[in-house]
């Protein structure tokens, strides 16, 4: 007796096949999952579809063909869309993908920042899911992505409820990262990443590696100050950030002992020293790709939220301005530029007045 036709698995659509989305797509496709990708770079889309996406680096190396198209070539509607574009491209990407989102579908933000807020505004809170990713990866050129190191991966609903769809996407993420976490408090992880992310933006002010910045005694007070500003805003937002991969949010909380913050910085120096991705994606945007960074939607938004609570954020505000200076060619990436950030904190911050200008 015939059991009828075998139904094809419903594909997941990844919108943005770069450092984050490309790796997910390659791993899912290699595991036999139905996945398609979208990318604005036509050459990248063509290479992924025909020759295959090359994943390289110390974690694993393989080539995987993944069907990839440009935005104008997308057909049909999808129940599951993973958004993996740069934070500043969220609005434009959402405008393009919404016609392809099924009525009962959702968008999973696999990005840095608080993009779930904008996605919820555009698609609706019920069609929005959040994720936190901290693995190290870099888009090298069309068809090539560096996978530098594994890191924390977390998924959760923005309202804290765990639904069948949440468990479904958690299972998909476990295909890529077996230790992926399913959480009822995704905002705690997203705010934790904002604290760490502020520090990474500061490391991008210099030509030095991430680990060299975290290991520089003269720069540590400024990095700690950034973490403290973000944690103060998180507290005002009634969020208790979660830690990951050496970043301990409690160490930067208002009233926390400085020794705990220094221990966290030392742990971050160790974690970032063990990856083939020696510099942040922010540094790469500035030094290699010569393009705008995510500083406004990632760091500028924190200063805006802080202002609504009457909280001063001198380090974050100066950091945003300095990144824009580098983007627009007014300042170089240098130890001296980091020194300007430290000056925003004043002499009351130990060591802030004498940052190093050495190059790793």
């Amino acid at each position: 007796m015939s059991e009828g036709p075998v139904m094809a698995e419903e594909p997941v659509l990844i919108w943005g096949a770069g450092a984050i989305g490309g790796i997910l797509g390659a791993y899912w496709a290699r595991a036999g999952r139905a996945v398609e990708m979208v990318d604005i770079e036509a050459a990248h889309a063509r290479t992924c579809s025909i020759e295959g996406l090359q994943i390289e680096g110390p974690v694993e190396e393989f080539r995987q063909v993944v069907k990839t198209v440009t935005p104008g070539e997308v057909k049909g509607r999808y129940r599951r869309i993973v958004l993996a574009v740069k934070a500043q491209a969220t609005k434009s990407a959402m405008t393009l993908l919404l016609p392809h989102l099924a009525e009962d579908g959702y968008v999973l933000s696999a990005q840095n920042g608080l993009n779930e807020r904008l996605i919820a505004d555009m698609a609706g809170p019920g069609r929005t899911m959040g994720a936190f990713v901290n693995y190290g990866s870099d888009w090298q050129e069309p068809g090539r992505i560096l996978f530098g190191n594994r890191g924390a991966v977390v998924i959760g609903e923005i309202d804290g409820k765990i639904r069948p769809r949440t468990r479904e996407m958690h299972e998909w993420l476990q295909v890529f990262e077996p230790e992926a976490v399913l959480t009822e408090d995704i905002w705690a992880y997203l705010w934790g990443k904002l604290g760490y992310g502020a520090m990474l933006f500061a490391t991008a002010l210099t030509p030095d590696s991430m680990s060299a910045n975290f290991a520089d005694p003269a720069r540590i007070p400024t990095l700690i100050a950034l973490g403290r500003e973000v944690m103060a805003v998180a507290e005002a937002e009634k969020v208790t950030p979660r830690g990951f991969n050496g970043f301990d949010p409690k160490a930067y909380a208002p009233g926390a002992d400085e020794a705990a913050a220094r221990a966290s910085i030392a742990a971050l120096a160790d974690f970032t020293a063990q990856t083939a991705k020696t510099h942040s994606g922010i540094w790469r945007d500035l030094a290699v790709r010569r393009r705008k960074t995510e500083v406004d939607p990632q760091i500028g938004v924190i200063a805006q939220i802080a202002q609504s609570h009457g909280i001063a954020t001198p380090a974050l505000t100066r950091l945003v301005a300095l990144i824009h200076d580098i983007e627009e060619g007014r300042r170089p990436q240098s130890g001296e530029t980091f020194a300007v950030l430290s000056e925003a904190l004043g002499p009351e911050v130990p060591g802030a007045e004498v940052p190093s200008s050495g190059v790793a």
Side-chain angles (χ1 to χ4, degrees), residues 67-311:
K67 178 184 176 183
T68 309
V69 298
T70 57
E73 298 172 320
V74 181
K75 306 293 184 184
R77 304 181 81 185
Y78 296 79
R79 183 173 62 87
R80 302 167 296 185
I81 299 181
V82 177
L83 184 59
V85 300
K86 289 286 188 179
Q88 66 268 33
T90 300
K91 185 175 182 178
S92 59
M94 284 295 297
T95 300
L96 292 172
L97 73 79
L98 277 174
H100 301 287
L101 180 63
E103 286 298 323
D104 63 343
Y106 58 88
V107 177
L108 170 64
S109 171
Q111 303 166 276
N112 292 315
L114 301 175
N115 303 291
E116 288 80 356
R117 293 184 172 196
L118 177 56
I119 295 169
D121 285 342
M122 297 183 71
R127 298 207 290 173
T128 305
M129 191 183 299
F132 161 93
V133 295
N134 197 48
Y135 53 88
S137 55
D138 270 327
W139 187 92
Q140 303 291 301
E141 64 180 17
R144 288 181 57 219
I145 294 177
L146 169 70
F147 188 10
N149 66 284
R150 290 194 174 276
V153 176
V154 184
I155 186 170
E157 300 280 358
I158 63 173
D159 64 2
K161 297 179 181 179
I162 294 179
R163 301 177 171 85
R165 72 180 195 182
T166 333
R167 297 187 186 280
E168 176 188 47
M169 280 311 303
H170 177 233
E171 191 273 331
W172 274 69
L173 285 174
Q174 287 179 308
V175 170
F176 163 67
E177 175 49 66
E179 301 299 320
V181 173
L182 177 61
T183 183
E184 296 178 346
D185 193 3
I186 192 63
W187 296 109
Y189 286 96
L190 295 176
W191 274 94
K193 183 66 179 288
L194 288 175
Y196 176 49
M199 297 179 188
L200 292 184
F201 269 93
T203 70
L205 297 176
T206 82
D208 306 354
S209 67
M210 292 182 288
S211 60
N213 273 279
F214 284 120
D216 188 331
R219 293 176 183 168
I220 289 173
T222 303
L223 296 171
I224 291 174
L226 288 167
R228 285 177 173 166
E229 288 188 3
V230 177
M231 293 306 107
V233 180
E235 182 179 78
E237 287 282 289
K238 298 182 172 22
V239 175
T240 303
R242 298 282 188 94
F244 56 93
N245 301 141
F247 182 78
D248 178 10
K250 296 188 296 296
Y252 309 93
D257 184 72
E258 183 173 338
R262 287 183 173 271
S264 176
I265 294 291
L268 291 172
D270 181 64
F271 177 75
T272 54
Q274 299 179 46
T275 173
K277 179 185 167 75
T278 58
H279 293 69
S280 70
I282 307 146
W283 175 90
R284 188 172 181 82
D285 282 342
L286 295 171
V288 179
R289 305 194 73 180
R290 307 288 183 181
R291 66 180 185 179
K292 297 286 187 180
T293 70
E294 299 176 291
V295 71
D296 290 322
Q298 274 201 56
I299 308 302
V301 69
I302 306 172
Q304 292 172 4
I305 296 171
Q307 192 172 35
S308 72
H309 292 290
I311 299 173

